[in-house]
Amino acid sequence: MDVAITASSPGAVASSPNSAPSVNNLDEARAAQARQDAENARRKLEEQRAEQVRQAQASQSSRNSNGEVIGTTISTTA
């Protein structure tokens, strides 16, 4: 279904001449986006660290009485 906005369409008529976004609103939007991006990056780093810990705990080396590595056991439980 094609929709065309024409001069008679309600969406084509501005509600007021001051309806354009102000510089303050744009700055606030950019600041909010920057905060969200920082939070997402922090959360991703925490998830990566947690995954590294899980992987380190899942891989264990078996040693004989002389302390030599005789095999590696990998646990599949997380």
Side-chain angles (χ1 to χ4, degrees), residues 19-38:
S19 64
S22 70
V23 172
N24 287 340
N25 288 343
L26 291 175
D27 288 343
E28 290 171 13
R30 287 185 185 110
Q33 184 64 50
R35 285 190 298 272
Q36 184 65 42
D37 290 347

Side-chain angles (χ1 to χ4, degrees), residues 30-77:
R30 287 185 185 110
Q33 184 64 50
R35 285 190 298 272
Q36 184 65 42
D37 290 347
E39 176 64 22
N40 290 344
R42 184 191 61 76
R43 187 176 297 121
K44 185 175 180 180
L45 281 174
E46 286 178 357
E47 290 172 359
Q48 288 174 344
R49 287 183 187 133
E51 180 61 26
Q52 288 173 344
V53 168
R54 282 191 291 272
Q55 289 178 0
Q57 290 173 342
S59 177
Q60 300 172 347
S61 296
S62 299
R63 298 180 182 270
N64 64 13
S65 60
N66 294 329
E68 298 168 330
V69 175
I70 57 173
T72 302
T73 303
I74 298 176
S75 171
T76 58
T77 59

Side-chain angles (χ1 to χ4, degrees), residues 5-21:
I5 297 179
T6 63
S8 61
S9 299
V13 179
S15 59
S16 71
N18 295 328
S19 64

